[in-house]
Amino acid sequence: MTTTKPVSERRVVANVLRGSIGNLVEWYDWYVYAAFSIYFAKTFFPSGDPTAQLLSTAAVFAVGFLMRPLGGWLLGQYADKYGRRSALTLSVTVMAGGSLLIALTPGFQTIGIAAPVLLLLARLLQGLSVGGEYATSATYLSEVASPGKRGFYSSFQYVTLVAGQLIALGVQIILQQFLDKSQMYDWGWRIPFVIGAAAALIVMWLRRSMDESEQFEAVAAESVPPVNGHGALTAAASEPKRGSLRMLMQYPRECLLVVGLTLGGTVAFYTFTTYMQKYMKLTSGISEDTVAWINFIALLVFVVLQPLAGALSDRIGRRKLLIFFGVAGTVLTVPIMTLLGHTKNPIAAWALMMGALVIVTGYTSINAIVKAELFPTKIRALGVGLPYALTVAIFGGTAETIALSLKKAGHESVYFWYVAGCILVSLVTYLFMRETSASSSIDTEHAAAADAEQARPLARRA
């Protein structure tokens, strides 16, 4: 069997940086929508009720999530067949198109119903892109990382993911300093989408020159169909194709684990990051400018926590951090959200949000590497991407819509219990799952071992 050669730490760092910068831009484009929806809601959905306007934009936000499973499937399959680099380049190109479309679409008063339709189309393109980006990025970072440091290096996926949101908030704060509210509502909100589209085009060019994962290259080199002495394909050639749904079906337990791992984490993450901005404004009654600063500072600290927790997982294992998130999230979500809704003090609001983000760090810092370690190289991108994207679409994408709907119905506190319940479901998964590898290298030997483990119970049943 072909094995990969060890690479220098300097080259590993270079690969991680090149893989991460594109991830940052993609997530900036994704989160700009959430950050600026307060300003462009009335442009696409005219109504006298601010909550109804935000509910409409949140619904489009949720619909964008429905494309993420399709992106996870198509781009995950593409990455397993043709390479991580090619898939990452394609995903950022699609994202650039979606952002540019939002930036250039006229409002409802100009083109009528076509305005929200084009907004929806743009969001679908962004959902397709980010659905493939997550899985391929997680796979790429896990495969280029040094043995024994995969938790640390893979945590940079959420460093760049949150940094993208952070930059979106930073752009919002800067624009708020130079534009008045009228300008922000009229045309200022378009500026960040133009920035995102331009940055995505630059990353598209940069990604064309990044290194391919050596693990993928090794598996690809071994996938040439062998023949016997009579020129016929051997039994190995009849195995499912690399990156196919048929091959993914050989890993049902791993797919279910991805769902369980993700459910509580995605609901908590979107609650304590994207929805928190609306919650502080509509429920706590804190001004938009102050809310932006609270979110910016909290997320800045959150970014720093990711590699620290990732490095800790390399020492103590992934499962302990996941259990910390599960227990603390189940017990403390309702108290944190309740207290936050009753305070107008910016410092107290920041402290409560920060406490929630510390808890969520137990999931975000390592969730990508835990999922990547469940699958062999030949099915890793699709195995991580499809079940993850389905779970995020169903639970993460609807979190804000459910929260705003319950608020409008006068039962906002029910949402807090919903979040705690989702985290509890994931906690059960964490308690019964096995520890994933925290030191060995993800390579073709790991893939063979995983395949053998899958084959044994099948053989026994036969």
Side-chain angles (χ1 to χ4, degrees):
M1 174 173 290
T2 303
T3 58
T4 58
K5 298 178 181 179
V7 297
S8 68
E9 196 71 15
R10 184 175 180 178
R11 183 178 173 187
V12 169
V13 172
N15 284 330
V16 169
L17 289 176
R18 282 183 288 182
S20 297
I21 188 171
N23 195 51
L24 185 150
V25 171
E26 284 244 15
W27 289 103
Y28 164 84
D29 283 331
W30 180 255
Y31 283 116
V32 155
Y33 183 101
F36 284 85
S37 62
I38 291 175
Y39 294 107
F40 68 72
K42 70 176 185 178
T43 299
F44 295 97
F45 304 98
S47 171
D49 184 358
T51 301
Q53 290 176 339
L54 286 175
L55 186 58
S56 297
T57 56
V60 175
F61 186 77
V63 170
F65 275 82
L66 297 179
M67 290 296 287
R68 291 181 65 167
L70 183 59
W73 170 43
L74 293 177
L75 291 175
Q77 190 175 56
Y78 187 87
D80 284 331
K81 287 184 177 180
Y82 304 109
R84 322 312 191 194
R85 179 178 59 192
S86 297
L88 288 170
T89 302
L90 178 59
S91 70
V92 79
T93 305
V94 175
M95 180 62 78
S99 295
L100 189 61
L101 183 57
I102 295 176
L104 300 179
T105 298
F108 186 90
Q109 293 182 346
T110 303
I111 60 175
I113 193 65
V117 170
L118 288 174
L119 177 67
L120 177 61
L121 175 61
R123 199 59 184 169
L124 292 176
L125 288 174
Q126 290 187 322
L128 182 71
S129 169
V130 84
E133 172 71 21
Y134 175 88
T136 311
S137 177
T139 298
Y140 183 78
L141 291 178
S142 68
E143 289 176 352
V144 301
S146 304
K149 295 184 179 179
R150 290 204 312 270
F152 172 73
Y153 283 122
S154 295
S155 71
F156 281 89
Q157 181 176 38
Y158 259 82
V159 168
T160 51
L161 188 156
V162 178
Q165 185 174 0
L166 196 58
I167 293 174
L169 287 172
V171 170
Q172 183 183 54
I173 291 171
I174 292 172
L175 290 176
Q176 286 171 344
Q177 308 308 309
F178 291 94
L179 302 177
D180 58 36
K181 283 191 175 182
S182 176
Q183 292 172 320
M184 287 291 292
Y185 280 98
D186 289 342
W187 55 269
W189 62 265
R190 296 182 185 273
I191 295 175
F193 289 101
V194 174
I195 294 172
L201 289 174
I202 294 172
V203 169
M204 178 187 68
W205 177 76
L206 290 175
R207 279 186 164 177
R208 291 166 63 96
S209 61
M210 65 190 290
D211 292 337
E212 180 56 87
S213 158
E214 292 190 2
Q215 277 70 46
F216 170 80
E217 291 181 334
V219 170
E222 294 175 348
S223 63
V224 178
V227 296
N228 59 24
H230 302 287
L233 293 176
T234 64
S238 64
E239 292 182 356
K241 293 182 180 180
R242 189 175 71 247
S244 66
L245 285 175
R246 184 183 168 201
M247 177 172 285
L248 183 62
M249 295 302 291
Q250 295 183 350
Y251 301 90
R253 176 182 174 276
E254 286 77 6
C255 289
L256 290 175
L257 275 175
V258 171
V259 173
L261 286 164
T262 304
L263 194 156
T266 188
V267 172
F269 177 76
Y270 282 102
T271 297
F272 296 133
T273 55
T274 57
Y275 176 64
M276 194 64 77
Q277 191 175 14
K278 283 90 173 174
Y279 182 70
M280 289 184 186
K281 176 191 174 184
L282 297 175
T283 302
S284 303
I286 303 174
S287 69
E288 292 173 359
D289 293 357
T290 303
V291 166
W293 277 108
I294 292 172
N295 277 256
F296 184 86
I297 297 172
L299 289 175
L300 184 62
V301 178
F302 187 49
V303 165
V304 175
L305 291 176
Q306 303 309 300
L308 297 178
L312 180 62
S313 78
D314 286 324
R315 297 177 63 88
I316 68 173
R318 326 293 189 205
R319 188 166 166 270
K320 291 179 181 177
L321 287 185
L322 291 171
I323 291 175
F324 160 74
F325 158 69
V327 172
T330 301
V331 174
L332 298 178
T333 292
V334 174
I336 288 175
M337 295 297 288
T338 302
L339 288 172
L340 184 58
H342 289 84
T343 183
K344 292 187 178 181
N345 186 306
I347 297 177
W350 175 85
L352 288 167
M353 180 178 179
M354 197 66 250
L357 291 178
V358 169
I359 294 171
V360 176
T361 296
Y363 165 80
T364 56
S365 61
I366 58 171
N367 86 95
I369 187 61
V370 169
K371 294 161 191 170
E373 288 173 338
L374 292 173
F375 296 94
T377 305
K378 60 187 177 183
I379 197 65
R380 184 169 293 129
L382 182 60
V384 172
L386 184 55
Y388 168 83
L390 282 169
T391 310
V392 171
I394 296 170
F395 295 98
T398 58
E400 190 171 294
T401 305
I402 292 173
L404 289 170
S405 298
L406 288 170
K407 177 178 177 58
K408 193 173 183 181
H411 302 290
E412 188 171 34
S413 61
V414 174
Y415 179 71
F416 312 157
W417 291 99
Y418 167 75
V419 177
C422 289
I423 298 174
L424 177 60
V425 172
S426 285
L427 174 59
V428 174
T429 302
Y430 308 149
L431 291 173
F432 287 97
M433 68 178 286
R434 295 191 298 269
E435 178 66 83
T436 60
S437 173
S439 59
S440 64
S441 174
I442 294 183
D443 52 19
T444 51
E445 291 180 343
H446 171 76
D451 287 341
E453 182 179 353
Q454 288 291 321
R456 281 193 291 272
L458 293 175
R460 285 196 295 270
R461 286 197 294 271

